[in-house]
Amino acid sequence: MINDENAAHYERYRALTKSLPNFHPLGRLAEYRYYNMDVIIGRALALADELVG
């Protein structure tokens, strides 16, 4: 459940990853969001295309 406490955790984690240029958090656990699997797989493939690019 996304509440103020979880949103604060997410923002802290996100701030930590900004210093990691080759780290791309993606997905349900990384983004504290619910995604249908087809949507997140599409996002992962799009990110892979962008990185390989």
Side-chain angles (χ1 to χ4, degrees), residues 12-49:
R12 280 194 299 272
Y13 296 145
R14 200 169 138 248
L16 289 171
T17 64
K18 285 184 179 187
S19 66
L20 304 170
N22 294 316
F23 183 76
H24 305 279
L26 185 68
R28 293 177 180 189
L29 295 176
E31 299 178 65
Y32 278 69
R33 302 180 88 182
Y34 177 82
Y35 289 109
N36 288 330
M37 292 307 294
D38 58 330
V39 173
I40 200 59
I41 289 169
R43 289 187 64 210
L45 291 170
L47 176 61
D49 285 344

Side-chain angles (χ1 to χ4, degrees), residues 1-12:
M1 180 165 111
I2 298 176
N3 56 30
D4 291 340
E5 183 179 359
N6 286 338
H9 283 301
Y10 170 70
E11 288 303 322
R12 280 194 299 272

